Structure formats: structure tokens, C-alpha cells
Amino acid sequence: MKVLNFIFGLLSVIGAFYCIFYPGLTFLNSGWIVTILLGMWGICSVIDYFLKRKKSKSEQSEAVMGTLGLIVGIAAAVVSVLAMFIPSIRLVFDITILCIFSGWLIIDGISSVAMSFKVKNSGSSAWIISLICGILVIIGGIYGLFHLVFTAQTIGFMIGVLLAVYGVKLIISVFEKPSV
């Protein structure tokens, strides 16, 4: 399993550089990226479950989530293939993703602002940073609703960053001592 983790980690880091330097293309290929990541995660989770064969709840839930990830990955592959041949599906799919992301930013920003007021009531001075970040995220979400190219590039960049973190995590897991 360590060899697979290292290979997938290295491929993830290499892919992350591509995603960070070409965020627009990354967004346009996000269906394939999601398909590949969900497929790899699902396969590795199921293999890991069968290799360990522990009957604890956490291991079973990981196998179930991995199987669901594999199923969603296959569904994403079907939608991505359909989008190649039917441009209207691609357009609706892309606009839906962009609007959901912008809406998520607005909701997350509102949540951050609300949390900052809870932190303020506890007496901490860190609430100002949370308030400023929340307001900036709300502004970014509203801006993203009206400027979808900005949102697409932001998503592409974020995919690259998340892929890099995931890849580094996999590579580091190779060097960890196994738990008994």
C-alpha cells in the first residue's frame, strides 16, 4: 500500500503544479479530475479495507465511503463523456458548478462573520481577523456570481492547491511508522 501511496502522491503533486499554473484549463477538465480522484480514492479505500480486514466501525465506514466514491466517480465519468458530445450538457454543468461555488463562498462568509461575533463575546481579540476574512469571502462570492471566469480560475487554482496538499499527505504517509 505504501508504494501505491507514494506513486499516487507523486502524481498528485505533479498534477497540482499543472492545475496551479493553468487554472482555467483545470476548471474545464474538472469533471475528469474529479472522476480520476474519486476512482483512485474508492479503489484504494476498498483495497485497504480488504487488506486490513478489521471489523471496526471506522474501517467499515471507510470502505463504504470508498465504494460510494467509486460509484460517484463512475457517474462523473458518464457525465463527462456525455458533455464531450453534447455541448449544452457541458455548459449547464459548468455554470451549475460555478454558481454552487459562488453560493458556497457567500454562505461560508456569512458563517465566518457569525462565528466572529461569537468569538468576540468570548473575549478574544481574534474575532477581527475572522470578521475581515468573512467579509472578503462574501465579497468574493458575490463577485464570482457576476464574473464566472474569475470563479472558474479560482476553482482551478484551489483544485491545484488541494491536490498538492493531498499528494504531500500521501507521500508523508509512506514514511510514517505503522500503528500496532
Side-chain angles (χ1 to χ4, degrees), residues 10-163:
L10 192 61
L11 289 174
S12 295
V13 170
I14 291 169
F17 284 115
Y18 173 82
C19 294
I20 290 171
F21 290 114
Y22 298 105
L25 290 174
T26 299
F27 173 74
L28 291 176
N29 294 313
S30 62
W32 294 110
I33 293 169
V34 168
T35 300
I36 291 168
L37 287 178
L38 284 172
M40 286 184 349
W41 174 62
I43 290 168
C44 288
S45 295
V46 172
I47 288 172
D48 192 42
Y49 172 75
F50 283 113
L51 287 177
K52 292 182 180 176
R53 300 266 177 154
K54 291 183 181 176
K55 300 296 180 191
S56 69
K57 294 285 185 190
S58 64
E59 294 294 327
Q60 289 177 348
S61 66
E62 182 68 27
V64 169
M65 292 303 294
T67 305
L68 288 175
L70 188 57
I71 291 168
V72 171
I74 292 169
V78 170
V79 170
S80 296
V81 168
L82 286 174
M84 284 175 29
F85 300 109
I86 305 171
S88 59
I89 289 177
R90 178 63 186 222
L91 180 66
V92 169
F93 185 65
D94 288 347
I95 290 174
T96 302
I97 289 173
L98 294 172
C99 291
I100 288 172
F101 182 75
S102 295
W104 172 70
L105 285 177
I106 293 169
I107 292 169
D108 190 51
I110 291 170
S111 172
S112 182
V113 168
M115 187 58 70
S116 71
F117 289 118
K118 286 184 180 180
V119 172
K120 178 183 178 186
N121 292 337
S122 71
S124 175
S125 62
W127 70 276
I128 295 172
I129 295 171
S130 180
L131 178 68
I132 292 170
C133 289
I135 291 170
L136 289 174
V137 169
I138 292 171
I139 292 169
I142 293 170
Y143 183 78
L145 281 174
F146 297 105
H147 299 281
L148 296 178
V149 173
F150 165 77
T151 307
Q153 290 193 341
T154 302
I155 290 173
F157 183 77
M158 288 180 65
I159 288 172
V161 170
L162 291 172
L163 194 58

